[in-house]
Amino acid sequence: MADKKIIAVTGATGAQGGGLVRAILTDPSGGFAVRAITRDVDSDKAKALARAGAEVVAGNVDDEASLAKALSGAHGAYCVTFFWDHFSPERESAEVRNMARAAKVAGVKHVVWSTLEDTRRWVPLSDDRMPTLMGKYKVPHFDGKGESDHFFTDEAVPTTFLLTSFYWDNLIHFGMGPKKGQDGKLAITFPMGDKRLSGIAAEDIGRCAYGIFKRGAEMVGKSVGIAGEHLTGSEMAAALTKALGQDVRYDAVTPAAYRAFGFPGADDLGNMFQFYADFEDYFTGVRPLAVARGLNPALQSFAQWLAANKERIPLA
Ligand SMILES: NC(=O)c1ccc[n+]([C@@H]2O[C@H](COP(=O)([O-])OP(=O)(O)OC[C@H]3O[C@@H](n4cnc5c(N)ncnc54)[C@H](OP(=O)(O)O)[C@@H]3O)[C@@H](O)[C@H]2O)c1
């Protein structure tokens, strides 16, 4: 343990961080040890990580001092924020600043920051193809991350900028799975027309991050886009039909109709899907599948992910 490089992981009890924790623990000869950062070291999830072999420490991304302590002595840090816990890009930005400063104080040698595009570089606020939200964002949960990238460079923290993509796990946890229409038939609904959605198994994000830590210094200063597959709604529906053994249709609604669904975050997600669709070539191009597979040879396709997870998709 003493000669291993410690990777400290925010969100360790969650999707992205959890994937990284498991990737490190299942590779005991890889030269890395994992330190799971959690707000509650006594939670069931935190205790399970400790039993699995992780060091578990307290830390909160809203509290810079707690992070500096949690990162002390670590070689690397995986930094992720939790937009959907609070829906505030400003708070997300403050959290990134806390993580960057703490990494600086702790002298961390390699940060992997889970970021996304600041979509306003492509769709300025003056572009009315989609509404401006919260006064100054187009896709708040993307923009707040992208505009915070500079905190790491400002602090001269050696950082890899990891551009993630849509989790297929959203079909399980985020209410995006197939739903029965009035005709009783199952359908998935996205405002993507015939454009491709870059998707990934959430677990594979952490595994790709592990690949980045293993490569080390050569990855510092780079932006790395990852996806497991780029699929149209029709292709996703066809894969679901095959995996579930019942017909699943793709309902391609307009972005405006999606924004009007009215659930919390529908406007943010409507704009997000419109960004994916309108900038399909950019979005998929910056996330070549070969890059993710190079970092994580076990990268799953949508069909593989479905084979392992189809029973977990609620079919309401
Ligand atoms: N859903 C998607 O398709 C998608 C795609 C790309 C990017 N993202 C982004 O992914 C991010 C969320 O990552 P995730 O899905 O891995 O999260 P997650 O599964 O919801 O996990 C969140 C974990 O983070 C911890 N946490 C929450 N607030 C914290 C705080 N203040 N300080 C320290 N830890 C805290 C919690 O652990 P404890 O309770 O143990 O502290 C929780 O287990 C979001 O910002 C989202 O925008 C999502």
Side-chain angles (χ1 to χ4, degrees), residues 11 13-16 38-39 60-62 81-83 85 92 145 164-165 167 170:
T13 57
Q16 295 188 29
T38 171
R39 292 166 300 174
N60 189 321
V61 296
D62 295 310
T81 46
F82 314 101
F83 181 86
D85 284 10
E92 199 167 28
K145 292 181 180 66
T164 62
S165 41
Y167 308 171
N170 293 332

mmCIF file with all atom_site columns, all heavy atoms in Angstrom, residues 11 13-16 38-39 60-62 81-83 85 92 145 164-165 167 170, ligand 1:
data_model
loop_
_atom_site.group_PDB
_atom_site.id
_atom_site.type_symbol
_atom_site.label_atom_id
_atom_site.label_alt_id
_atom_site.label_comp_id
_atom_site.label_asym_id
_atom_site.label_entity_id
_atom_site.label_seq_id
_atom_site.pdbx_PDB_ins_code
_atom_site.Cartn_x
_atom_site.Cartn_y
_atom_site.Cartn_z
_atom_site.occupancy
_atom_site.B_iso_or_equiv
_atom_site.pdbx_formal_charge
_atom_site.auth_seq_id
_atom_site.auth_comp_id
_atom_site.auth_asym_id
_atom_site.auth_atom_id
_atom_site.pdbx_PDB_model_num
ATOM   1   N N   . GLY A 1 11  ? -17.309 11.830 -5.300  1.00 0.00 ? 11  GLY A N   1
ATOM   2   C CA  . GLY A 1 11  ? -18.429 11.068 -5.863  1.00 0.00 ? 11  GLY A CA  1
ATOM   3   C C   . GLY A 1 11  ? -18.193 9.578  -5.810  1.00 0.00 ? 11  GLY A C   1
ATOM   4   O O   . GLY A 1 11  ? -18.772 8.818  -6.596  1.00 0.00 ? 11  GLY A O   1
ATOM   5   N N   . THR A 1 13  ? -19.155 7.244  -3.889  1.00 0.00 ? 13  THR A N   1
ATOM   6   C CA  . THR A 1 13  ? -20.319 6.379  -3.662  1.00 0.00 ? 13  THR A CA  1
ATOM   7   C C   . THR A 1 13  ? -21.324 6.496  -4.810  1.00 0.00 ? 13  THR A C   1
ATOM   8   O O   . THR A 1 13  ? -22.390 5.886  -4.751  1.00 0.00 ? 13  THR A O   1
ATOM   9   C CB  . THR A 1 13  ? -21.022 6.730  -2.325  1.00 0.00 ? 13  THR A CB  1
ATOM   10  O OG1 . THR A 1 13  ? -21.394 8.116  -2.371  1.00 0.00 ? 13  THR A OG1 1
ATOM   11  C CG2 . THR A 1 13  ? -20.118 6.486  -1.131  1.00 0.00 ? 13  THR A CG2 1
ATOM   12  N N   . GLY A 1 14  ? -20.990 7.288  -5.823  1.00 0.00 ? 14  GLY A N   1
ATOM   13  C CA  . GLY A 1 14  ? -21.911 7.501  -6.942  1.00 0.00 ? 14  GLY A CA  1
ATOM   14  C C   . GLY A 1 14  ? -21.452 6.813  -8.218  1.00 0.00 ? 14  GLY A C   1
ATOM   15  O O   . GLY A 1 14  ? -20.613 5.903  -8.191  1.00 0.00 ? 14  GLY A O   1
ATOM   16  N N   . ALA A 1 15  ? -21.990 7.273  -9.334  1.00 0.00 ? 15  ALA A N   1
ATOM   17  C CA  . ALA A 1 15  ? -21.824 6.569  -10.610 1.00 0.00 ? 15  ALA A CA  1
ATOM   18  C C   . ALA A 1 15  ? -20.407 6.698  -11.170 1.00 0.00 ? 15  ALA A C   1
ATOM   19  O O   . ALA A 1 15  ? -19.725 5.700  -11.373 1.00 0.00 ? 15  ALA A O   1
ATOM   20  C CB  . ALA A 1 15  ? -22.850 7.104  -11.614 1.00 0.00 ? 15  ALA A CB  1
ATOM   21  N N   . GLN A 1 16  ? -19.983 7.913  -11.445 1.00 0.00 ? 16  GLN A N   1
ATOM   22  C CA  . GLN A 1 16  ? -18.669 8.084  -12.083 1.00 0.00 ? 16  GLN A CA  1
ATOM   23  C C   . GLN A 1 16  ? -17.538 7.674  -11.150 1.00 0.00 ? 16  GLN A C   1
ATOM   24  O O   . GLN A 1 16  ? -16.666 6.877  -11.493 1.00 0.00 ? 16  GLN A O   1
ATOM   25  C CB  . GLN A 1 16  ? -18.468 9.551  -12.486 1.00 0.00 ? 16  GLN A CB  1
ATOM   26  C CG  . GLN A 1 16  ? -19.411 10.027 -13.550 1.00 0.00 ? 16  GLN A CG  1
ATOM   27  C CD  . GLN A 1 16  ? -19.044 11.425 -14.040 1.00 0.00 ? 16  GLN A CD  1
ATOM   28  O OE1 . GLN A 1 16  ? -17.893 11.843 -14.018 1.00 0.00 ? 16  GLN A OE1 1
ATOM   29  N NE2 . GLN A 1 16  ? -20.043 12.157 -14.492 1.00 0.00 ? 16  GLN A NE2 1
ATOM   30  N N   . THR A 1 38  ? -16.274 10.955 0.807   1.00 0.00 ? 38  THR A N   1
ATOM   31  C CA  . THR A 1 38  ? -17.721 10.932 1.004   1.00 0.00 ? 38  THR A CA  1
ATOM   32  C C   . THR A 1 38  ? -18.090 11.951 2.072   1.00 0.00 ? 38  THR A C   1
ATOM   33  O O   . THR A 1 38  ? -17.259 12.289 2.920   1.00 0.00 ? 38  THR A O   1
ATOM   34  C CB  . THR A 1 38  ? -18.194 9.522  1.432   1.00 0.00 ? 38  THR A CB  1
ATOM   35  O OG1 . THR A 1 38  ? -19.570 9.573  1.813   1.00 0.00 ? 38  THR A OG1 1
ATOM   36  C CG2 . THR A 1 38  ? -17.407 8.980  2.624   1.00 0.00 ? 38  THR A CG2 1
ATOM   37  N N   . ARG A 1 39  ? -19.340 12.407 2.024   1.00 0.00 ? 39  ARG A N   1
ATOM   38  C CA  . ARG A 1 39  ? -19.784 13.316 3.099   1.00 0.00 ? 39  ARG A CA  1
ATOM   39  C C   . ARG A 1 39  ? -20.078 12.543 4.367   1.00 0.00 ? 39  ARG A C   1
ATOM   40  O O   . ARG A 1 39  ? -20.109 13.121 5.453   1.00 0.00 ? 39  ARG A O   1
ATOM   41  C CB  . ARG A 1 39  ? -21.030 14.082 2.650   1.00 0.00 ? 39  ARG A CB  1
ATOM   42  C CG  . ARG A 1 39  ? -20.752 15.062 1.548   1.00 0.00 ? 39  ARG A CG  1
ATOM   43  C CD  . ARG A 1 39  ? -22.028 15.536 0.919   1.00 0.00 ? 39  ARG A CD  1
ATOM   44  N NE  . ARG A 1 39  ? -22.767 14.403 0.364   1.00 0.00 ? 39  ARG A NE  1
ATOM   45  C CZ  . ARG A 1 39  ? -23.979 14.483 -0.162  1.00 0.00 ? 39  ARG A CZ  1
ATOM   46  N NH1 . ARG A 1 39  ? -24.590 15.641 -0.212  1.00 0.00 ? 39  ARG A NH1 1
ATOM   47  N NH2 . ARG A 1 39  ? -24.573 13.397 -0.647  1.00 0.00 ? 39  ARG A NH2 1
ATOM   48  N N   . ASN A 1 60  ? -16.256 17.279 1.563   1.00 0.00 ? 60  ASN A N   1
ATOM   49  C CA  . ASN A 1 60  ? -17.445 17.861 0.951   1.00 0.00 ? 60  ASN A CA  1
ATOM   50  C C   . ASN A 1 60  ? -16.979 18.886 -0.075  1.00 0.00 ? 60  ASN A C   1
ATOM   51  O O   . ASN A 1 60  ? -16.145 19.748 0.249   1.00 0.00 ? 60  ASN A O   1
ATOM   52  C CB  . ASN A 1 60  ? -18.291 18.535 2.047   1.00 0.00 ? 60  ASN A CB  1
ATOM   53  C CG  . ASN A 1 60  ? -19.646 18.979 1.535   1.00 0.00 ? 60  ASN A CG  1
ATOM   54  O OD1 . ASN A 1 60  ? -19.800 19.469 0.413   1.00 0.00 ? 60  ASN A OD1 1
ATOM   55  N ND2 . ASN A 1 60  ? -20.643 18.810 2.377   1.00 0.00 ? 60  ASN A ND2 1
ATOM   56  N N   . VAL A 1 61  ? -17.475 18.788 -1.288  1.00 0.00 ? 61  VAL A N   1
ATOM   57  C CA  . VAL A 1 61  ? -16.996 19.701 -2.327  1.00 0.00 ? 61  VAL A CA  1
ATOM   58  C C   . VAL A 1 61  ? -17.393 21.151 -2.067  1.00 0.00 ? 61  VAL A C   1
ATOM   59  O O   . VAL A 1 61  ? -16.877 22.063 -2.707  1.00 0.00 ? 61  VAL A O   1
ATOM   60  C CB  . VAL A 1 61  ? -17.436 19.264 -3.758  1.00 0.00 ? 61  VAL A CB  1
ATOM   61  C CG1 . VAL A 1 61  ? -16.826 17.933 -4.129  1.00 0.00 ? 61  VAL A CG1 1
ATOM   62  C CG2 . VAL A 1 61  ? -18.943 19.256 -3.897  1.00 0.00 ? 61  VAL A CG2 1
ATOM   63  N N   . ASP A 1 62  ? -18.309 21.373 -1.122  1.00 0.00 ? 62  ASP A N   1
ATOM   64  C CA  . ASP A 1 62  ? -18.659 22.751 -0.748  1.00 0.00 ? 62  ASP A CA  1
ATOM   65  C C   . ASP A 1 62  ? -17.732 23.309 0.321   1.00 0.00 ? 62  ASP A C   1
ATOM   66  O O   . ASP A 1 62  ? -17.921 24.442 0.768   1.00 0.00 ? 62  ASP A O   1
ATOM   67  C CB  . ASP A 1 62  ? -20.119 22.799 -0.253  1.00 0.00 ? 62  ASP A CB  1
ATOM   68  C CG  . ASP A 1 62  ? -21.090 22.462 -1.375  1.00 0.00 ? 62  ASP A CG  1
ATOM   69  O OD1 . ASP A 1 62  ? -20.962 23.072 -2.455  1.00 0.00 ? 62  ASP A OD1 1
ATOM   70  O OD2 . ASP A 1 62  ? -21.940 21.578 -1.182  1.00 0.00 ? 62  ASP A OD2 1
ATOM   71  N N   . THR A 1 81  ? -18.693 17.065 -10.033 1.00 0.00 ? 81  THR A N   1
ATOM   72  C CA  . THR A 1 81  ? -19.675 17.879 -9.299  1.00 0.00 ? 81  THR A CA  1
ATOM   73  C C   . THR A 1 81  ? -21.049 17.234 -9.438  1.00 0.00 ? 81  THR A C   1
ATOM   74  O O   . THR A 1 81  ? -21.223 16.299 -10.224 1.00 0.00 ? 81  THR A O   1
ATOM   75  C CB  . THR A 1 81  ? -19.693 19.313 -9.869  1.00 0.00 ? 81  THR A CB  1
ATOM   76  O OG1 . THR A 1 81  ? -19.731 19.229 -11.302 1.00 0.00 ? 81  THR A OG1 1
ATOM   77  C CG2 . THR A 1 81  ? -18.466 20.093 -9.428  1.00 0.00 ? 81  THR A CG2 1
ATOM   78  N N   . PHE A 1 82  ? -22.014 17.749 -8.744  1.00 0.00 ? 82  PHE A N   1
ATOM   79  C CA  . PHE A 1 82  ? -23.291 17.048 -8.609  1.00 0.00 ? 82  PHE A CA  1
ATOM   80  C C   . PHE A 1 82  ? -24.441 17.980 -8.948  1.00 0.00 ? 82  PHE A C   1
ATOM   81  O O   . PHE A 1 82  ? -25.256 18.325 -8.104  1.00 0.00 ? 82  PHE A O   1
ATOM   82  C CB  . PHE A 1 82  ? -23.402 16.466 -7.189  1.00 0.00 ? 82  PHE A CB  1
ATOM   83  C CG  . PHE A 1 82  ? -22.123 15.781 -6.784  1.00 0.00 ? 82  PHE A CG  1
ATOM   84  C CD1 . PHE A 1 82  ? -21.211 16.412 -5.946  1.00 0.00 ? 82  PHE A CD1 1
ATOM   85  C CD2 . PHE A 1 82  ? -21.772 14.561 -7.339  1.00 0.00 ? 82  PHE A CD2 1
ATOM   86  C CE1 . PHE A 1 82  ? -20.000 15.812 -5.632  1.00 0.00 ? 82  PHE A CE1 1
ATOM   87  C CE2 . PHE A 1 82  ? -20.559 13.953 -7.039  1.00 0.00 ? 82  PHE A CE2 1
ATOM   88  C CZ  . PHE A 1 82  ? -19.669 14.574 -6.185  1.00 0.00 ? 82  PHE A CZ  1
ATOM   89  N N   . PHE A 1 83  ? -24.493 18.405 -10.219 1.00 0.00 ? 83  PHE A N   1
ATOM   90  C CA  . PHE A 1 83  ? -25.451 19.428 -10.642 1.00 0.00 ? 83  PHE A CA  1
ATOM   91  C C   . PHE A 1 83  ? -26.876 19.094 -10.238 1.00 0.00 ? 83  PHE A C   1
ATOM   92  O O   . PHE A 1 83  ? -27.616 19.944 -9.754  1.00 0.00 ? 83  PHE A O   1
ATOM   93  C CB  . PHE A 1 83  ? -25.380 19.621 -12.170 1.00 0.00 ? 83  PHE A CB  1
ATOM   94  C CG  . PHE A 1 83  ? -26.337 20.670 -12.654 1.00 0.00 ? 83  PHE A CG  1
ATOM   95  C CD1 . PHE A 1 83  ? -25.968 22.007 -12.653 1.00 0.00 ? 83  PHE A CD1 1
ATOM   96  C CD2 . PHE A 1 83  ? -27.630 20.345 -13.054 1.00 0.00 ? 83  PHE A CD2 1
ATOM   97  C CE1 . PHE A 1 83  ? -26.857 22.987 -13.052 1.00 0.00 ? 83  PHE A CE1 1
ATOM   98  C CE2 . PHE A 1 83  ? -28.530 21.322 -13.465 1.00 0.00 ? 83  PHE A CE2 1
ATOM   99  C CZ  . PHE A 1 83  ? -28.135 22.636 -13.462 1.00 0.00 ? 83  PHE A CZ  1
ATOM   100 N N   . ASP A 1 85  ? -28.115 17.569 -7.898  1.00 0.00 ? 85  ASP A N   1
ATOM   101 C CA  . ASP A 1 85  ? -28.453 17.664 -6.466  1.00 0.00 ? 85  ASP A CA  1
ATOM   102 C C   . ASP A 1 85  ? -28.943 19.065 -6.114  1.00 0.00 ? 85  ASP A C   1
ATOM   103 O O   . ASP A 1 85  ? -29.591 19.253 -5.085  1.00 0.00 ? 85  ASP A O   1
ATOM   104 C CB  . ASP A 1 85  ? -27.227 17.360 -5.592  1.00 0.00 ? 85  ASP A CB  1
ATOM   105 C CG  . ASP A 1 85  ? -26.919 15.872 -5.535  1.00 0.00 ? 85  ASP A CG  1
ATOM   106 O OD1 . ASP A 1 85  ? -27.530 15.114 -6.324  1.00 0.00 ? 85  ASP A OD1 1
ATOM   107 O OD2 . ASP A 1 85  ? -26.078 15.469 -4.715  1.00 0.00 ? 85  ASP A OD2 1
ATOM   108 N N   . GLU A 1 92  ? -22.040 24.960 -8.641  1.00 0.00 ? 92  GLU A N   1
ATOM   109 C CA  . GLU A 1 92  ? -21.133 23.993 -9.264  1.00 0.00 ? 92  GLU A CA  1
ATOM   110 C C   . GLU A 1 92  ? -19.767 24.650 -9.503  1.00 0.00 ? 92  GLU A C   1
ATOM   111 O O   . GLU A 1 92  ? -18.712 24.077 -9.223  1.00 0.00 ? 92  GLU A O   1
ATOM   112 C CB  . GLU A 1 92  ? -21.749 23.530 -10.588 1.00 0.00 ? 92  GLU A CB  1
ATOM   113 C CG  . GLU A 1 92  ? -21.176 22.245 -11.110 1.00 0.00 ? 92  GLU A CG  1
ATOM   114 C CD  . GLU A 1 92  ? -22.009 21.656 -12.250 1.00 0.00 ? 92  GLU A CD  1
ATOM   115 O OE1 . GLU A 1 92  ? -22.681 22.406 -12.986 1.00 0.00 ? 92  GLU A OE1 1
ATOM   116 O OE2 . GLU A 1 92  ? -21.958 20.429 -12.414 1.00 0.00 ? 92  GLU A OE2 1
ATOM   117 N N   . LYS A 1 145 ? -19.950 23.698 -15.896 1.00 0.00 ? 145 LYS A N   1
ATOM   118 C CA  . LYS A 1 145 ? -18.735 22.866 -15.838 1.00 0.00 ? 145 LYS A CA  1
ATOM   119 C C   . LYS A 1 145 ? -17.670 23.449 -16.762 1.00 0.00 ? 145 LYS A C   1
ATOM   120 O O   . LYS A 1 145 ? -16.527 23.687 -16.358 1.00 0.00 ? 145 LYS A O   1
ATOM   121 C CB  . LYS A 1 145 ? -19.050 21.421 -16.232 1.00 0.00 ? 145 LYS A CB  1
ATOM   122 C CG  . LYS A 1 145 ? -19.943 20.666 -15.236 1.00 0.00 ? 145 LYS A CG  1
ATOM   123 C CD  . LYS A 1 145 ? -20.182 19.241 -15.709 1.00 0.00 ? 145 LYS A CD  1
ATOM   124 C CE  . LYS A 1 145 ? -21.059 18.439 -14.747 1.00 0.00 ? 145 LYS A CE  1
ATOM   125 N NZ  . LYS A 1 145 ? -22.457 18.909 -14.642 1.00 0.00 ? 145 LYS A NZ  1
ATOM   126 N N   . THR A 1 164 ? -17.350 13.961 -20.757 1.00 0.00 ? 164 THR A N   1
ATOM   127 C CA  . THR A 1 164 ? -18.151 12.744 -20.636 1.00 0.00 ? 164 THR A CA  1
ATOM   128 C C   . THR A 1 164 ? -19.318 12.803 -21.639 1.00 0.00 ? 164 THR A C   1
ATOM   129 O O   . THR A 1 164 ? -19.439 13.746 -22.414 1.00 0.00 ? 164 THR A O   1
ATOM   130 C CB  . THR A 1 164 ? -18.685 12.593 -19.201 1.00 0.00 ? 164 THR A CB  1
ATOM   131 O OG1 . THR A 1 164 ? -19.539 13.708 -18.912 1.00 0.00 ? 164 THR A OG1 1
ATOM   132 C CG2 . THR A 1 164 ? -17.546 12.546 -18.208 1.00 0.00 ? 164 THR A CG2 1
ATOM   133 N N   . SER A 1 165 ? -20.151 11.794 -21.607 1.00 0.00 ? 165 SER A N   1
ATOM   134 C CA  . SER A 1 165 ? -21.345 11.825 -22.461 1.00 0.00 ? 165 SER A CA  1
ATOM   135 C C   . SER A 1 165 ? -22.536 11.232 -21.714 1.00 0.00 ? 165 SER A C   1
ATOM   136 O O   . SER A 1 165 ? -22.415 10.865 -20.541 1.00 0.00 ? 165 SER A O   1
ATOM   137 C CB  . SER A 1 165 ? -21.080 11.155 -23.812 1.00 0.00 ? 165 SER A CB  1
ATOM   138 O OG  . SER A 1 165 ? -20.321 10.003 -23.689 1.00 0.00 ? 165 SER A OG  1
ATOM   139 N N   . TYR A 1 167 ? -25.251 9.190  -19.977 1.00 0.00 ? 167 TYR A N   1
ATOM   140 C CA  . TYR A 1 167 ? -25.216 7.829  -19.406 1.00 0.00 ? 167 TYR A CA  1
ATOM   141 C C   . TYR A 1 167 ? -26.425 7.036  -19.912 1.00 0.00 ? 167 TYR A C   1
ATOM   142 O O   . TYR A 1 167 ? -27.561 7.485  -19.768 1.00 0.00 ? 167 TYR A O   1
ATOM   143 C CB  . TYR A 1 167 ? -25.397 7.791  -17.883 1.00 0.00 ? 167 TYR A CB  1
ATOM   144 C CG  . TYR A 1 167 ? -24.588 8.601  -16.959 1.00 0.00 ? 167 TYR A CG  1
ATOM   145 C CD1 . TYR A 1 167 ? -24.971 8.633  -15.605 1.00 0.00 ? 167 TYR A CD1 1
ATOM   146 C CD2 . TYR A 1 167 ? -23.467 9.319  -17.339 1.00 0.00 ? 167 TYR A CD2 1
ATOM   147 C CE1 . TYR A 1 167 ? -24.261 9.351  -14.680 1.00 0.00 ? 167 TYR A CE1 1
ATOM   148 C CE2 . TYR A 1 167 ? -22.755 10.047 -16.405 1.00 0.00 ? 167 TYR A CE2 1
ATOM   149 C CZ  . TYR A 1 167 ? -23.162 10.068 -15.082 1.00 0.00 ? 167 TYR A CZ  1
ATOM   150 O OH  . TYR A 1 167 ? -22.477 10.793 -14.153 1.00 0.00 ? 167 TYR A OH  1
ATOM   151 N N   . ASN A 1 170 ? -29.272 6.518  -17.525 1.00 0.00 ? 170 ASN A N   1
ATOM   152 C CA  . ASN A 1 170 ? -30.423 7.414  -17.401 1.00 0.00 ? 170 ASN A CA  1
ATOM   153 C C   . ASN A 1 170 ? -31.726 6.696  -17.723 1.00 0.00 ? 170 ASN A C   1
ATOM   154 O O   . ASN A 1 170 ? -32.795 7.126  -17.312 1.00 0.00 ? 170 ASN A O   1
ATOM   155 C CB  . ASN A 1 170 ? -30.278 8.633  -18.335 1.00 0.00 ? 170 ASN A CB  1
ATOM   156 C CG  . ASN A 1 170 ? -29.144 9.543  -17.922 1.00 0.00 ? 170 ASN A CG  1
ATOM   157 O OD1 . ASN A 1 170 ? -28.800 9.614  -16.747 1.00 0.00 ? 170 ASN A OD1 1
ATOM   158 N ND2 . ASN A 1 170 ? -28.567 10.242 -18.880 1.00 0.00 ? 170 ASN A ND2 1
HETATM 159 N N1  . LIG B 2 .   ? -26.579 11.612 -16.125 1.00 0.00 ? 1   LIG B N1  1
HETATM 160 C C1  . LIG B 2 .   ? -25.813 11.810 -17.200 1.00 0.00 ? 1   LIG B C1  1
HETATM 161 O O1  . LIG B 2 .   ? -26.102 11.368 -18.314 1.00 0.00 ? 1   LIG B O1  1
HETATM 162 C C2  . LIG B 2 .   ? -24.547 12.595 -17.058 1.00 0.00 ? 1   LIG B C2  1
HETATM 163 C C3  . LIG B 2 .   ? -23.680 12.611 -18.142 1.00 0.00 ? 1   LIG B C3  1
HETATM 164 C C4  . LIG B 2 .   ? -22.490 13.348 -18.033 1.00 0.00 ? 1   LIG B C4  1
HETATM 165 C C5  . LIG B 2 .   ? -22.231 14.050 -16.878 1.00 0.00 ? 1   LIG B C5  1
HETATM 166 N N2  . LIG B 2 .   ? -23.125 14.008 -15.833 1.00 0.00 ? 1   LIG B N2  1
HETATM 167 C C6  . LIG B 2 .   ? -22.813 14.767 -14.624 1.00 0.00 ? 1   LIG B C6  1
HETATM 168 O O2  . LIG B 2 .   ? -22.426 13.869 -13.628 1.00 0.00 ? 1   LIG B O2  1
HETATM 169 C C7  . LIG B 2 .   ? -22.462 14.565 -12.386 1.00 0.00 ? 1   LIG B C7  1
HETATM 170 C C8  . LIG B 2 .   ? -22.874 13.621 -11.283 1.00 0.00 ? 1   LIG B C8  1
HETATM 171 O O3  . LIG B 2 .   ? -22.002 12.541 -11.227 1.00 0.00 ? 1   LIG B O3  1
HETATM 172 P P1  . LIG B 2 .   ? -22.529 11.112 -10.799 1.00 0.00 ? 1   LIG B P1  1
HETATM 173 O O4  . LIG B 2 .   ? -23.660 10.732 -11.716 1.00 0.00 ? 1   LIG B O4  1
HETATM 174 O O5  . LIG B 2 .   ? -21.379 10.226 -10.688 1.00 0.00 ? 1   LIG B O5  1
HETATM 175 O O6  . LIG B 2 .   ? -23.159 11.424 -9.400  1.00 0.00 ? 1   LIG B O6  1
HETATM 176 P P2  . LIG B 2 .   ? -24.049 10.478 -8.460  1.00 0.00 ? 1   LIG B P2  1
HETATM 177 O O7  . LIG B 2 .   ? -24.074 9.081  -8.917  1.00 0.00 ? 1   LIG B O7  1
HETATM 178 O O8  . LIG B 2 .   ? -25.338 11.191 -8.276  1.00 0.00 ? 1   LIG B O8  1
HETATM 179 O O9  . LIG B 2 .   ? -23.187 10.454 -7.133  1.00 0.00 ? 1   LIG B O9  1
HETATM 180 C C9  . LIG B 2 .   ? -23.118 11.501 -6.366  1.00 0.00 ? 1   LIG B C9  1
HETATM 181 C C10 . LIG B 2 .   ? -22.275 11.118 -5.164  1.00 0.00 ? 1   LIG B C10 1
HETATM 182 O O10 . LIG B 2 .   ? -21.563 12.289 -4.861  1.00 0.00 ? 1   LIG B O10 1
HETATM 183 C C11 . LIG B 2 .   ? -21.556 12.546 -3.527  1.00 0.00 ? 1   LIG B C11 1
HETATM 184 N N3  . LIG B 2 .   ? -21.844 13.956 -3.240  1.00 0.00 ? 1   LIG B N3  1
HETATM 185 C C12 . LIG B 2 .   ? -22.976 14.654 -3.456  1.00 0.00 ? 1   LIG B C12 1
HETATM 186 N N4  . LIG B 2 .   ? -22.829 15.913 -3.003  1.00 0.00 ? 1   LIG B N4  1
HETATM 187 C C13 . LIG B 2 .   ? -21.587 15.997 -2.500  1.00 0.00 ? 1   LIG B C13 1
HETATM 188 C C14 . LIG B 2 .   ? -20.832 17.024 -1.880  1.00 0.00 ? 1   LIG B C14 1
HETATM 189 N N5  . LIG B 2 .   ? -21.367 18.239 -1.660  1.00 0.00 ? 1   LIG B N5  1
HETATM 190 N N6  . LIG B 2 .   ? -19.564 16.779 -1.503  1.00 0.00 ? 1   LIG B N6  1
HETATM 191 C C15 . LIG B 2 .   ? -19.010 15.562 -1.694  1.00 0.00 ? 1   LIG B C15 1
HETATM 192 N N7  . LIG B 2 .   ? -19.668 14.537 -2.264  1.00 0.00 ? 1   LIG B N7  1
HETATM 193 C C16 . LIG B 2 .   ? -20.949 14.756 -2.659  1.00 0.00 ? 1   LIG B C16 1
HETATM 194 C C17 . LIG B 2 .   ? -22.572 11.616 -2.906  1.00 0.00 ? 1   LIG B C17 1
HETATM 195 O O11 . LIG B 2 .   ? -21.835 10.829 -2.049  1.00 0.00 ? 1   LIG B O11 1
HETATM 196 P P3  . LIG B 2 .   ? -21.959 10.867 -0.434  1.00 0.00 ? 1   LIG B P3  1
HETATM 197 O O12 . LIG B 2 .   ? -23.409 10.901 -0.137  1.00 0.00 ? 1   LIG B O12 1
HETATM 198 O O13 . LIG B 2 .   ? -21.279 9.593  -0.063  1.00 0.00 ? 1   LIG B O13 1
HETATM 199 O O14 . LIG B 2 .   ? -21.208 12.087 0.010   1.00 0.00 ? 1   LIG B O14 1
HETATM 200 C C18 . LIG B 2 .   ? -23.113 10.750 -4.040  1.00 0.00 ? 1   LIG B C18 1
HETATM 201 O O15 . LIG B 2 .   ? -23.005 9.380  -3.828  1.00 0.00 ? 1   LIG B O15 1
HETATM 202 C C19 . LIG B 2 .   ? -23.439 15.718 -12.586 1.00 0.00 ? 1   LIG B C19 1
HETATM 203 O O16 . LIG B 2 .   ? -22.772 16.946 -12.427 1.00 0.00 ? 1   LIG B O16 1
HETATM 204 C C20 . LIG B 2 .   ? -23.939 15.541 -14.006 1.00 0.00 ? 1   LIG B C20 1
HETATM 205 O O17 . LIG B 2 .   ? -24.165 16.769 -14.670 1.00 0.00 ? 1   LIG B O17 1
HETATM 206 C C21 . LIG B 2 .   ? -24.255 13.268 -15.900 1.00 0.00 ? 1   LIG B C21 1
#
